Amino acid sequence: MEEQPPPSVNEKRGEPYNVVCTHITADFDTLASAIGLAKLWTLGIYHEHEEEKDEDDDNVKEADENKDEDDDEDTRGKRIVDGPLPTYVVLPRGAHPDVQRFLSLHKHLFPIRSLKSLPGFSDADLKNNHHHNHHDHDRNPQSPYRGLQRVGLVDAQRRDRLGPAEILLPHAKKGVTIVDHHVDAESDIPEAVNYIVEPVGSVSTMIAERLRNAGNARRKHGGFETKVELTEAEATLLALGIHSDTGSLVYDSTTAKDATMLGWAMEMGASQAAIAEHAKPSLSDEQQTVLTQALINVNSTTIRGVTISTVLLSADGFISGLAAVTKDALDLSSSDIFLLAVCYEATRGNRGGGGGKKGKTNGNKHGNNNNNNN
């Protein structure tokens, strides 16, 4: 793919910036939607309280004009900035192996940072975070959080899905934005002020639609026209995100909008060769049936921040390829560990073997850990 690294930005401590976080052990959908949302925010295109945005912008401008340079430190520490801002993507705890393989080739094309490489951050800042009140951090002119304006979380709605990036939440001056397609999920993030949740097959679909609409509208900021144009790498990643969470448009959760936005990503220059290399093959009809039933009947529990999901299903006979089914179930359920067992009746001559009729269990386990091994 084309070599177009993101533009350089001012990384002086205290300068305003935004952060978009994937969930822990990032898959293609959360990575693609995070990159897309970061592109919108970098251009100053926000989808928060849009009906009131023009009036709010006028109020911000008026406040800036009347601002006294001798404001106390507390007021300066809470300075809120709108408009185009540098926006970084953080993968709080690594990525799936297939995503890691993609990033090993193309990471330099995206604004991806580790927590400690955010503007002004250091290992000491991260270690000391829990020992200080977050208001003290924001008042301190040397605090690495002083410039943090917004935090975005994509493809998840709970704190435990953020891992170590959870420390950013209370410091976002404009609050937290959640973008997700799990309509039945419940959030435990009180800092969230903006929820964007839609019943589609992929969050990448939601972000792609907003990128397309922003490009069509040619939003204006400060008198300058802002046109949204995707690089080949960005279009390819959005396509991979949609392929990943819709099973290349065959999962039951797939909608017409997913197909439309996948087509748009292709129009924007997505590399078919890269998609063929990195997109996983679709499941068979038999495997897709197991995946659908697994997601309907799954039981989940969270222990010390780790979400464990289990499901026991029955089938008429042996089903091959359950490892791929379990991996998809892990991704789609936003779990950290997924245990899938399928019971069937094995008779003489079946792959289960043995004389007479007896029960067999075909089981698989997939999980995420700090080393990102499945």
Side-chain angles (χ1 to χ4, degrees):
M1 285 187 291
E2 61 190 3
E3 298 287 323
Q4 289 187 5
S8 59
V9 296
N10 189 344
E11 297 188 359
K12 181 179 178 182
R13 182 182 287 251
E15 290 298 312
Y17 66 96
N18 303 314
V19 172
V20 179
C21 299
T22 70
H23 58 63
I24 56 177
T25 318
D27 56 24
F28 274 120
D29 189 32
T30 189
L31 176 62
S33 51
I35 294 296
L37 183 60
K39 186 178 187 72
L40 288 167
W41 285 9
T42 298
L43 296 172
I45 301 173
Y46 306 101
H47 293 88
E48 51 196 36
H49 317 300
E50 287 184 302
E51 294 180 358
E52 303 173 2
K53 187 163 182 59
D54 291 340
E55 181 180 348
D56 290 343
D57 287 344
D58 291 340
N59 290 338
V60 170
K61 290 177 182 177
E62 181 179 352
D64 288 342
E65 291 172 358
N66 296 330
K67 184 173 180 179
D68 190 334
E69 293 182 358
D70 294 327
D71 283 347
D72 58 35
E73 183 177 287
D74 181 66
T75 301
R76 292 197 304 272
K78 295 182 178 179
R79 181 169 59 95
I80 296 175
V81 179
D82 274 315
L85 288 176
T87 303
Y88 307 99
V89 172
V90 170
L91 283 63
R93 195 172 287 156
H96 283 303
D98 49 352
V99 177
Q100 285 182 319
R101 186 164 63 90
F102 176 85
L103 289 177
S104 69
L105 300 172
H106 308 299
K107 182 179 179 179
H108 64 288
L109 302 177
F110 306 109
I112 296 174
R113 294 293 186 89
S114 65
L115 273 174
K116 63 182 179 181
S117 67
L118 290 174
F121 273 76
S122 67
D123 286 330
D125 291 319
L126 298 177
K127 292 177 181 178
N128 293 334
N129 177 77
H130 297 293
H131 301 291
H132 296 87
N133 185 291
H134 71 84
H135 293 298
D136 294 335
H137 273 299
D138 295 337
R139 292 180 187 130
N140 181 359
Q142 296 303 312
S143 169
Y145 302 99
R146 188 168 182 264
L148 181 60
Q149 302 298 310
R150 292 171 178 80
V151 171
L153 173 59
V154 292
D155 201 24
Q157 301 186 39
R158 299 188 62 82
R159 302 181 85 88
D160 55 28
R161 300 291 289 160
L162 270 170
E166 176 190 355
I167 64 172
L168 299 175
L169 298 180
H171 303 285
K173 297 173 179 61
K174 291 286 288 184
V176 176
T177 293
I178 290 175
V179 186
D180 196 13
H181 67 135
H182 301 102
V183 294
D184 296 327
E186 295 183 1
S187 177
D188 63 351
I189 301 177
E191 296 90 349
V193 297
N194 191 34
Y195 290 88
I196 305 174
V197 182
E198 297 178 9
V200 293
S202 164
V203 182
S204 298
T205 294
M206 300 167 61
I207 297 299
E209 182 181 38
R210 284 158 175 80
L211 285 164
R212 181 196 64 180
N213 293 345
N216 292 339
R218 297 176 65 90
R219 300 287 183 93
K220 291 184 178 181
H221 296 284
F224 296 95
E225 287 189 341
T226 301
K227 183 178 180 180
V228 178
E229 295 181 345
L230 298 187
T231 65
E232 181 184 10
E234 292 165 342
T236 301
L237 187 54
L238 284 170
L240 283 170
I242 297 173
H243 272 287
S244 173
D245 260 31
T246 66
S248 296
L249 305 181
V250 302
Y251 291 171
D252 286 354
S253 59
T254 302
T255 67
K257 185 180 290 186
D258 295 304
T260 298
M261 298 322 303
L262 178 57
W264 177 78
M266 299 302 295
E267 290 177 3
M268 293 298 103
S271 168
Q272 189 60 36
I275 293 171
E277 178 182 357
H278 296 283
K280 55 193 174 187
S282 301
L283 300 178
S284 67
D285 291 344
E286 191 175 46
Q287 293 168 334
Q288 180 58 48
T289 299
V290 174
L291 175 62
T292 299
Q293 290 302 312
L295 296 175
I296 292 174
N297 297 286
V298 67
N299 295 299
S300 299
T301 184
T302 300
I303 302 175
R304 295 185 179 180
V306 178
T307 300
I308 303 173
S309 296
T310 61
V311 63
L312 175 63
L313 301 175
S314 60
D316 294 333
F318 177 83
I319 298 176
S320 63
L322 283 187
V325 175
T326 309
K327 184 176 183 301
D328 282 350
L330 174 74
D331 295 343
L332 295 172
S333 65
S334 296
S335 303
D336 297 300
I337 298 174
F338 199 102
L339 304 172
L340 169 64
V342 178
C343 298
Y344 64 97
E345 292 293 331
T347 58
R348 186 186 305 275
N350 283 353
R351 289 186 63 176
K357 180 182 286 187
K358 59 183 179 180
K360 288 284 186 179
T361 301
N362 187 196
N364 273 274
K365 175 181 73 173
H366 264 287
N368 303 324
N369 56 37
N370 290 341
N371 293 323
N372 305 310
N373 295 320
N374 289 329

